[in-house]
Amino acid sequence: MARRHQDYACGEGCPVEAALEIIGAKWKGGIVYHLLAGETRFSELGRRMPNVTARILAKALRELEADGVIARTVYPTIPPQVGYRLTEEGERLRPAILELHRWGSRPRGVFDIAAE
Amino acid sequence: MARRHQDYACGEGCPVEAALEIIGAKWKGGIVYHLLAGETRFSELGRRMPNVTARILAKALRELEADGVIARTVYPTIPPQVGYRLTEEGERLRPAILELHRWGSRPRGVFDIAAE
DNA sequence: CGGTATCCGAGATGATACTG
DNA sequence: CAGTATCATCTCGGATACCG
């Protein structure tokens, strides 16, 4: 997760691996996907992803922020609000995320479900 | 890795998460990327991804095969050869993989490298 | 060549409780 | 509301050695 790529020749630093190291961790893809819709609050993300705990969500958000994919904005209101949005860098992920969404959405054979 | 999605509403079974559960694991993105070029042998994959051990590579290949992304062909030659290629399902991943590759290839700021 | 069999540690994930 | 602190767990990835 923290490991960045060193070179861009496929092998050790394959760009695909590099990208997946940043958004491939659990929940991160979902986070970026939800942020495609625009700035979203912490609690709203939690509501849209009911299976992730606050700790894990916060950790993923901090890592995505460190990787320059998202930005965090604190609104000093009462109660406090924090919004997350994609950076320019994160916004450039849109086509990839949408393609993943398309692929993951297509009805798979009955096999997968049966194999459950 | 084995867990498939049950519903397609983002939340627990987000399609993006579903896709990343299949190709998000370490090395899997790279494997699929290399297979975009066509059928490739086990040893050739190992050569192109020097940092993955045979055990891990074999494990990832078996999982991708179980998920219907790749197909395995054994040629009973001497010495034995085994080829891996994308299935139709896997082939449909091409746009997503290429987008990830594009995103991962772009020169990032010096920050990332320096942060290392 | 193309794998498997063991063993192992690190880090990712998670449940729960608490706080500015 | 938006987290953090602590503790427990557990799966993934890897090292090493061996096999048909």
Side-chain angles (χ1 to χ4, degrees):
Chain A
M1 222 73 39
R3 185 121 273 186
R4 278 4 157 281
H5 47 279
Q6 296 112 324
D7 68 78
Y8 302 118
C10 263
E12 44 225 294
C14 175
V16 179
E17 289 300 333
L20 288 176
E21 256 176 59
I22 293 177
I23 63 154
K26 205 166 178 184
W27 309 118
K28 287 190 181 173
I31 291 171
V32 174
Y33 175 72
H34 288 303
L35 293 186
L36 290 181
E39 180 163 304
T40 309
R41 293 174 53 185
F42 183 88
S43 56
E44 181 59 25
L45 281 172
R47 226 166 290 127
R48 303 205 200 217
M49 309 174 72
N51 294 323
V52 60
T53 63
R55 191 183 98 85
I56 299 301
L57 180 57
K59 185 164 172 290
L61 288 168
R62 270 184 278 114
E63 289 172 354
L64 286 171
E65 190 188 3
D67 283 324
V69 175
I70 67 175
R72 180 174 178 271
T73 309
V74 180
Y75 302 100
T77 58
I78 303 214
Q81 299 193 5
V82 178
Y84 293 91
R85 60 176 177 79
L86 296 177
T87 59
E88 256 193 57
E89 187 80 4
E91 191 58 48
R92 282 194 269 262
L93 266 169
R94 181 180 293 268
I97 296 291
L98 290 180
E99 284 296 341
L100 287 172
H101 186 272
R102 251 167 35 87
W103 190 79
S105 300
R106 280 178 320 86
R108 330 291 299 277
V110 246
F111 315 112
D112 296 86
I113 292 99
E116 216 60 27
Chain B
M1 222 74 38
R3 183 120 274 181
R4 275 10 154 278
H5 48 278
Q6 296 112 326
D7 68 78
Y8 300 117
C10 264
E12 47 223 294
C14 174
V16 179
E17 289 301 331
L20 287 176
E21 256 176 60
I22 293 177
I23 62 153
K26 204 167 177 183
W27 308 117
K28 287 191 181 172
I31 291 171
V32 174
Y33 175 72
H34 287 303
L35 293 186
L36 290 180
E39 181 164 305
T40 309
R41 293 174 53 186
F42 184 88
S43 55
E44 181 59 26
L45 281 172
R47 227 166 291 127
R48 302 205 201 220
M49 308 174 73
N51 293 323
V52 60
T53 63
R55 190 185 98 87
I56 299 300
L57 180 57
K59 186 164 170 288
L61 288 168
R62 271 185 275 115
E63 290 171 354
L64 286 171
E65 189 187 4
D67 283 325
V69 175
I70 68 175
R72 180 176 179 270
T73 310
V74 180
Y75 302 100
T77 57
I78 302 210
Q81 298 193 5
V82 178
Y84 294 91
R85 61 177 175 78
L86 295 177
T87 60
E88 256 192 58
E89 188 79 3
E91 191 57 48
R92 282 193 268 263
L93 267 169
R94 183 180 292 268
I97 296 292
L98 289 181
E99 283 296 341
L100 286 173
H101 186 272
R102 251 169 34 87
W103 191 79
S105 300
R106 280 176 318 86
R108 329 292 298 276
V110 247
F111 314 114
D112 295 84
I113 293 98
E116 215 60 29

